[in-house]
Amino acid sequence: MSLFKEKPKTEREKVEERREEVLAHGRKFKYPMQYAKHKLIINTIIIGVVALILMVVAGWAMLYKVQDTSNMIYRLTQIIPVPVAEVAGEKVRYSDYLMIYRSNLETAEKQSGQLGDDGDAELVRQGYKRAALDLAVEYAYALKLGKEMGITVSDAEVDEAFDEHRKVGGVERSEESFLKIIGDNFGMNKMEYRRMLYLTLTRAKVAQAVDQNAQDLAVQIESMLAENGGDMMKIAEELGDKVEYETTGQLVDGMNVDGGRSNKAMQLAVGELSERFLSSNGDGFYYVKLIEKNDSQVNYDSLKINLTEFDLRVMKLYEDGEVEEYINLDSDGGEG
């Protein structure tokens, strides 16, 4: 029995207590959509996550199993920088591989017609894929070495190369007409063409920097040229396969596609020797001696020192298992 008698509730307290009971009981009826919205949000998140996982799996399959090379997949790899391989710890961009492959294939089909769907055509495509992947690996390795050695290619250098390419063939083309040419012949837009120029310029700079043997040979040749009056044939006979000697033997177009030699020769006086310069594709050093010229043609001798060290390093990476490819080009890849 309680020692203290409970104080009776006032009418006001009874009303407040009853009111709270009614409100608590009625809240689930007053806000019926609150719980439904909460459940809807959870379901939406679950569906979104599942859809994302499916998209990732589908994308992975299209890239690494089917090896789709369609425009849609190519544009996707430009947005999402997924790798196609790895070289010495450096990722090789899938978009670079597809850019090279699609451009080379476009050029081939412009020249020879559509490849078709037979077995021979597929073998040709696989060959282009192999070449494109090998080159993409080289570019990625050049980018890696460039970062380590502090070698850069500026936008201004890319602009200069772009403008030089506009003038190939002795024609001063407008940018609009030049972009139409590279679009029609290589399937590239301006951004892609500039990317290709950036990669080739980087590779060329790195190839020069790492090839000390070529640098030393250049010093030797420059001394020999000064001593023998610029007799390139004599130097070629003495050095053998260390150099490549060529003579046009006749007048050729001053804008001839020959690694930049004709263009350089047009800037010389008859009998004059050029300084050492890098070939337009970055694979070696040239020396040029002008034999004769007129307003639009030149006849010249040339010596070339091939840059080989970079290629040897890449070959060693393959031999040492430091190149990991994420696609299997020995299997039949689908064409998107």
Side-chain angles (χ1 to χ4, degrees):
M1 182 175 177
S2 176
L3 297 176
F4 301 97
K5 188 173 182 181
E6 185 177 349
K7 183 178 178 181
K9 296 179 180 179
T10 64
E11 287 299 319
R12 183 174 179 178
E13 289 174 335
K14 291 178 181 179
V15 170
E16 286 296 325
E17 188 179 85
R18 179 58 181 164
R19 180 173 175 271
E20 285 301 317
E21 291 177 359
V22 171
L23 288 175
H25 184 69
R27 280 192 183 99
K28 62 181 179 180
F29 300 105
K30 185 178 180 181
Y31 306 109
M33 290 302 296
Q34 178 179 349
Y35 305 100
K37 286 181 179 178
H38 181 67
K39 187 175 182 180
L40 180 62
I41 291 172
I42 293 176
N43 289 341
T44 301
I45 292 173
I46 292 173
I47 291 171
V49 170
V50 171
L52 180 61
I53 292 172
L54 291 176
M55 287 175 61
V56 170
V57 171
W60 177 85
M62 294 301 287
L63 288 169
Y64 300 109
K65 289 298 181 181
V66 180
Q67 297 175 29
D68 192 343
T69 62
S70 67
N71 190 62
M72 181 188 73
I73 291 294
Y74 175 42
R75 298 306 171 197
L76 181 64
T77 61
Q78 289 180 312
I79 298 170
I80 306 173
V82 293
V84 68
E86 182 176 326
V87 52
E90 183 78 10
K91 299 296 184 184
V92 182
R93 286 171 52 167
Y94 212 121
S95 58
D96 286 343
Y97 157 67
L98 286 180
M99 176 179 67
I100 299 166
Y101 167 70
R102 287 163 56 88
S103 173
N104 290 344
L105 187 64
E106 180 85 11
T107 302
E109 292 187 333
K110 286 290 183 183
Q111 295 174 349
S112 306
Q114 296 294 319
L115 292 180
D117 298 319
D118 59 15
D120 290 340
E122 184 56 34
L123 285 175
V124 172
R125 288 192 184 92
Q126 290 297 101
Y128 280 119
K129 286 181 180 180
R130 180 73 266 164
L133 185 55
D134 289 345
L135 188 53
V137 166
E138 290 184 20
Y139 285 149
Y141 184 53
L143 291 172
K144 172 184 171 63
L145 291 182
K147 285 185 286 187
E148 294 173 354
M149 302 172 72
I151 296 172
T152 60
V153 173
S154 67
D155 288 341
E157 289 175 290
V158 175
D159 289 339
E160 183 180 353
F162 185 87
D163 290 338
E164 287 178 359
H165 284 212
R166 282 198 298 116
K167 301 172 186 176
V168 169
V171 179
E172 184 79 26
R173 300 178 181 85
S174 68
E175 182 174 307
E176 182 180 2
S177 63
F178 180 61
L179 290 176
K180 186 176 187 308
I181 290 172
I182 64 176
D184 291 343
N185 291 279
F186 306 111
M188 287 184 171
N189 57 33
K190 184 177 181 179
M191 180 188 73
E192 292 161 344
Y193 198 75
R194 285 178 62 84
R195 172 69 179 173
M196 187 69 82
L197 288 174
Y198 171 76
L199 293 173
T200 54
L201 289 172
T202 300
R203 186 192 184 285
K205 280 191 173 186
V206 170
Q208 292 179 77
V210 301
D211 205 324
Q212 189 59 49
N213 288 335
Q215 302 280 355
D216 294 341
L217 182 58
V219 173
Q220 180 185 353
I221 288 174
E222 286 159 16
S223 176
M224 296 172 73
L225 286 169
E227 291 173 359
N228 70 11
D231 190 337
M232 293 186 173
M233 181 180 292
K234 184 177 180 181
I235 292 174
E237 290 172 350
E238 290 183 35
L239 296 179
D241 59 6
K242 291 182 179 180
V243 295
E244 293 179 8
Y245 168 75
E246 286 187 57
T247 181
T248 56
Q250 61 182 4
L251 289 167
V252 298
D253 192 289
M255 296 300 292
N256 193 37
V257 181
D258 55 6
R261 286 173 291 174
S262 294
N263 185 47
K264 180 66 69 173
M266 285 294 291
Q267 303 170 30
L268 303 174
V270 173
E272 186 180 3
L273 277 167
S274 74
E275 296 180 347
R276 175 181 57 181
F277 65 96
L278 184 67
S279 63
S280 58
N281 64 0
D283 67 345
F285 296 127
Y286 276 124
Y287 297 93
V288 168
K289 181 178 181 180
L290 181 64
I291 307 302
E292 62 175 319
K293 71 175 179 179
N294 56 36
D295 290 341
S296 62
Q297 296 175 305
V298 288
N299 179 6
Y300 63 82
D301 290 348
S302 68
L303 275 178
K304 183 181 182 183
I305 304 172
N306 287 308
L307 295 171
T308 59
E309 176 62 23
F310 181 81
D311 292 334
L312 291 173
R313 291 191 184 190
V314 172
M315 189 183 303
K316 182 96 167 38
L317 290 171
Y318 277 102
E319 292 172 353
D320 293 345
E322 291 195 62
V323 178
E324 181 182 1
E325 298 176 354
Y326 299 155
I327 58 175
N328 181 7
L329 295 182
D330 294 329
S331 62
D332 294 332
E335 284 292 325

